[in-house]
């Protein structure tokens, strides 16, 4: 017997019982974890999300700018020249600018918009709660959702309208006003991005939002709210090596998607407030794994207020020197960690 083969057999004999014990314990104590790693289910979900992904914003020629003043088209785009008609007959546009801006802000601002995944596009649903924090967050057995606010998502996290609801009411009712007139669009668009809270329940929603929105608009955003269910065993290489699946975690549940999301957030120039709610059923048994998970958040230094609410107990030192406040649930009496 060759030396390599002898080593493989010896490893098999040594590791076999450990692996059997692990599977037995995991299937008794955490059956959901083993079941979740039916690779074909994860793969199917991932592939469906890839098919349904929105396309990134194409690079638009300056002649297609929506805001006024409308740029003069170049000679080869002369036929695409857009007309801007004078609105002197409009009673609404005859109001002083200060009053008009108050109206635009009331119509499109000071609200929370849940950004949801739809087929090949994103949707924006106006929150029914007075504040984002009042919008109840639930777990539907697979992922986080706000069922009583905007309905359900399917197994791939794609939004499903409530039975009987009209799809025309599903997009915040802000587009008709913005599309009605170039002057209104130009005056109102800033309030959409600067005064609303954008709420995300899926990491892909935020990443798609960043590449389907004009960079100059995306950078105006000041408030975001993120709810995310972390998938076991993120940042736990030992547990991942026992899963025998490749990859151990499919995007957006993997470490790369998590880190990319925080790179996008760190690049947002005008962020003032971030609220993050993280759910992880087992919590982090290894403090080093939790620290690795929190490390990308340390690069987000611009917001004046940055709250990270987690569903598990742990060590307060995990947020030492961090730009965010780590808020853990209150431990039951007599339980320290
Ligand atoms: Zn809501």
């Amino acid at each position: 017997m060759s030396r390599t083969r002898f080593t493989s057999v010896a490893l098999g004999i040594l590791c076999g019982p450990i692996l059997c014990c692990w599977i037995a314990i995991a299937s008794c104590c955490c059956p959901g974890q083993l079941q979740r790693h039916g690779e074909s289910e994860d793969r199917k979900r991932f592939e469906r999300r890839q098919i349904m992904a929105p396309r990134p914003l194409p690079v638009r020629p300056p002649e297609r700018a929506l805001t006024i003043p409308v740029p003069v088209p170049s000679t080869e785009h002369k036929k695409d020249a857009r007309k801007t008609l004078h609105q002197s007959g409009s009673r609404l546009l005859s109001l002083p600018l200060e009053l008009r801006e108050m109206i635009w802000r009331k119509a499109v601002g000071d609200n929370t918009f849940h950004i949801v995944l739809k087929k090949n596009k994103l949707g924006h649903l106006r929150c029914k709660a007075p504040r984002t924090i009042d919008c109840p967050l639930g777990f539907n057995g697979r992922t986080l959702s706000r069922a009583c606010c905007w309905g359900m998502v399917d197994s791939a996290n794609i939004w499903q309208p409530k039975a009987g609801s009209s799809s025309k009411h599903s997009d915040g009712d802000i587009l008709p006003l913005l599309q009605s007139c170039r002057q209104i669009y130009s005056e109102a668009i800033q309030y959409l991005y600067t005064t609303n809270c954008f709420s995300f329940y899926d990491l892909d929603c935020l990443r798609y939002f960043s590449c389907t929105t004009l960079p100059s608009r995306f950078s105006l955003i000041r408030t975001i709210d993120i709810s995310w269910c972390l998938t076991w065993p993120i940042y736990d290489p030992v547990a991942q090596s026992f899963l025998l699946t490749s990859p151990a975690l499919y995007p957006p549940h993997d470490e790369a998607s998590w880190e990319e999301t925080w790179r996008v957030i760190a690049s947002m120039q005008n962020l003032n407030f971030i609220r993050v709610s993280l759910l992880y059923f087992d919590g982090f048994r290894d403090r080093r794994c939790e620290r690795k998970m929190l490390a990308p958040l340390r690069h987000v230094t611009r917001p004046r207020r940055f709250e990270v609410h987690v569903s598990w107990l742990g060590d307060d030192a995990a947020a030492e020197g961090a730009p965010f406040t780590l808020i853990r649930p209150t431990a039951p009496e007599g339980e320290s960690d």
Side-chain angles (χ1 to χ4, degrees):
M1 189 183 290
S2 72
R3 192 173 171 171
T4 318
R5 182 157 178 152
F6 176 78
T7 312
S8 307
V9 172
L11 271 175
I13 292 168
L14 279 172
C15 297
I18 298 169
L19 192 60
C20 289
C21 287
W22 166 260
I23 291 169
I25 292 166
S27 55
C28 291
C29 305
C30 324
Q33 291 180 351
L34 286 185
Q35 193 185 346
R36 190 191 62 70
H37 281 283
E39 190 179 11
S40 60
E41 278 304 307
D42 286 351
R43 182 187 291 272
K44 268 190 240 166
R45 203 170 294 138
F46 170 68
E47 287 171 352
R48 182 147 183 268
R49 287 171 64 96
Q50 291 295 98
I51 294 165
M52 303 280 249
R55 303 288 168 260
L57 201 66
V59 178
R60 283 199 302 194
E63 291 82 2
R64 294 204 54 204
L66 293 172
T67 40
I68 49 176
V70 180
V72 179
S74 55
T75 19
E76 66 263 33
H77 292 105
K78 231 14 173 198
K79 62 179 179 348
D80 296 333
R82 296 181 174 209
K83 286 182 186 167
T84 304
L85 303 176
H86 204 266
Q87 301 294 323
S88 54
S90 164
R91 301 283 296 273
L92 178 62
L93 294 175
S94 306
L95 291 171
L97 179 63
E98 292 78 8
L99 285 181
R100 293 203 304 270
E101 286 180 341
M102 287 168 73
I103 294 169
W104 310 148
R105 182 164 178 165
K106 188 74 183 166
V108 303
D110 293 330
N111 223 304
T112 297
F113 283 99
H114 297 294
I115 307 297
V116 296
L117 289 171
K118 290 180 166 182
K119 190 178 176 186
N120 300 125
K121 61 179 185 178
L122 294 175
H124 53 281
L125 310 176
R126 197 187 287 262
C127 183
K128 292 174 185 163
R131 296 176 306 159
T132 320
I133 201 168
D134 299 323
C135 184
L137 183 66
F139 182 71
N140 64 11
R142 200 177 41 252
T143 185
L144 295 169
S145 79
R146 297 183 191 268
C148 55
C149 185
W150 47 262
M152 303 294 286
V153 290
D154 68 9
S155 62
N157 248 9
I158 311 294
W159 178 71
Q160 303 293 302
K162 281 181 183 166
S165 69
S166 168
S167 60
K168 73 177 177 142
H169 294 306
S170 65
D171 269 324
D173 295 332
I174 51 172
L175 291 179
L177 174 72
L178 294 173
Q179 290 173 336
S180 64
C181 164
R182 200 183 288 274
Q183 184 180 342
I184 292 177
Y185 178 89
S186 305
E187 292 177 3
I189 193 67
Q190 58 171 319
Y191 296 106
L192 178 66
Y193 291 99
T194 57
T195 67
N196 285 309
C197 169
F198 293 87
S199 163
F200 303 91
Y201 69 102
D202 186 299
L203 300 188
D204 276 346
C205 277
L206 195 145
R207 296 191 296 121
Y208 294 150
F209 193 56
S210 73
C211 60
T212 54
T213 307
L214 279 176
S216 55
R217 306 274 184 245
F218 186 73
S219 70
L220 293 175
I221 294 173
R222 295 191 184 160
T223 309
I224 58 172
D225 183 278
I226 301 170
S227 312
W228 183 239
C229 189
L230 292 163
T231 301
W232 182 85
I234 191 166
Y235 286 107
D236 191 339
V238 178
Q240 287 185 15
S241 66
F242 282 116
L243 287 177
L244 308 176
T245 55
S246 180
L249 298 167
Y250 279 89
H253 303 281
D254 60 331
E255 290 89 353
S257 302
W258 176 251
E259 289 166 19
E260 174 59 19
T261 301
W262 288 102
R263 268 195 291 276
V264 170
I265 296 170
S267 71
M268 296 171 78
Q269 306 282 326
N270 291 295
L271 262 189
N272 241 343
F273 178 38
I274 310 180
R275 186 172 189 276
V276 188
S277 306
L278 298 176
L279 184 68
Y280 193 43
F281 288 108
D282 300 320
F284 284 88
R285 296 191 182 108
D286 185 338
R287 290 174 184 176
R288 286 169 302 179
C289 299
E290 187 189 42
R291 282 172 192 239
K292 277 190 221 165
M293 182 278 290
L294 290 171
L297 282 66
R298 290 178 177 266
H299 301 297
V300 182
T301 53
R302 287 197 180 92
R304 280 193 296 179
R305 219 170 124 207
F306 185 2
E307 293 177 4
V308 181
H309 298 252
V310 298
S311 67
W312 60 90
L313 301 175
D315 179 11
D316 285 340
E320 222 165 57
F324 53 83
T325 310
L326 187 62
I327 300 157
R328 296 189 189 273
T330 316
E333 218 156 295
E335 198 178 317
S336 60
D337 196 68

